[in-house]
Amino acid sequence: MMVSEWIKCPVCGSKTRARIREDTLLKNYPLYCPKCKQETLIDAEQLKITVIKEPDAKTQSR
């Protein structure tokens, strides 16, 4: 039987609307949390979730 879990928000820790199984592979997935209304990029492989830190935008110099 396949094990599946709800993905928890990395910011507030509540359940999101997304679910993953053992064989799920996510790359650069935009995870949205309906409770804290934040979107976070994540990677997931074998029920392990890692948060992707986005680089800050740099201003253009002329």
Side-chain angles (χ1 to χ4, degrees):
M1 184 171 163
M2 281 288 186
V3 175
S4 63
E5 292 183 357
W6 292 101
I7 300 177
K8 301 222 185 255
C9 174
V11 178
C12 68
S14 67
K15 278 198 310 187
T16 61
R17 295 181 181 139
R19 234 176 148 172
I20 56 172
R21 297 185 342 176
E22 288 178 329
D23 59 347
T24 302
L25 178 65
L26 296 174
K27 290 269 189 197
N28 296 326
Y29 181 74
L31 180 68
Y32 177 75
C33 177
K35 184 176 179 184
C36 66
K37 294 177 178 40
Q38 296 218 2
E39 190 173 282
T40 311
L41 280 179
I42 63 166
D43 286 343
E45 187 174 355
Q46 295 183 353
L47 298 177
K48 291 191 75 174
I49 298 168
T50 54
V51 178
I52 301 170
K53 299 286 183 188
E54 294 181 13
D56 292 334
K58 294 184 179 180
T59 58
Q60 290 183 340
S61 59
R62 294 182 189 217

